[in-house]
Amino acid sequence: FPVTIRTRDGNPFNFVDGIKLEGNDITINLQSYTQLRTYNGKATTVRITTPGIAGVFNLDGITSAANEDNGGTVICAAAIGSKRWKRVDDGPVYLAWFRVPVSPENGTVAFQNAIDAVNAIYVETGAPTDLVAPPAKTYLIDELNVKSGINLIGNNSVITPNGQTKG
């Protein structure tokens, strides 16, 4: 049953079975994208707590295509008709959210997903968005389709096409 706990400023802080209630919304904490993809409960907001990918995701409907998950700003199970979760953030997009592997692994797919996510924000809002790479990383990339509305912030990171640095 619901228990109401008052915060120091007197506002109610409601819990049901360890889940925070905010109005009619239910918020839970999960550790990973994998847990979010398989989550089947009633929460409408989820906080991912793992450093590097941490953030808040709101339930954003049901998937209509099998490839809606971009691995960083939109997370969903592979099955059509599963829950789609969208990251709540109006600041820069971080490459780390997409788990782009560093060299010697090829990071093309995850890096392109990040670029496409930033472009989607640009198309939706009309505002250019920063895509921020972690400091001093080297990424092995085959080919990227860079689109409008992206400000790539490198932080001394290096993109190495096919194993050779291009200037």
Side-chain angles (χ1 to χ4, degrees), residues 18 40 42 111 134 156:
N40 220 6
K42 294 181 180 182
F111 208 120
N156 295 316

Side-chain angles (χ1 to χ4, degrees), residues 38-53:
T38 59
Y39 175 71
N40 220 6
K42 294 181 180 182
T44 54
T45 302
V46 172
R47 285 185 186 89
I48 300 295
T49 58
T50 299
I53 63 168

Side-chain angles (χ1 to χ4, degrees), residues 31-115:
Q31 291 184 339
S32 68
Y33 295 152
T34 301
Q35 287 181 335
L36 183 55
R37 286 181 184 104
T38 59
Y39 175 71
N40 220 6
K42 294 181 180 182
T44 54
T45 302
V46 172
R47 285 185 186 89
I48 300 295
T49 58
T50 299
I53 63 168
V56 175
F57 290 80
N58 283 340
L59 183 60
D60 187 48
I62 303 298
T63 59
S64 58
N67 61 350
E68 292 185 41
D69 188 322
N70 67 19
T73 58
V74 177
I75 305 296
C76 49
I80 294 173
S82 62
K83 291 180 179 180
R84 179 179 53 240
W85 299 90
K86 190 171 182 181
R87 188 180 286 271
V88 178
D89 197 302
D90 59 1
V93 172
Y94 293 90
L95 207 52
W97 293 349
F98 296 84
R99 299 287 184 152
V100 178
V102 295
S103 185
E105 281 187 67
N106 191 310
T108 302
V109 173
F111 208 120
Q112 187 65 56
N113 285 345
I115 288 170

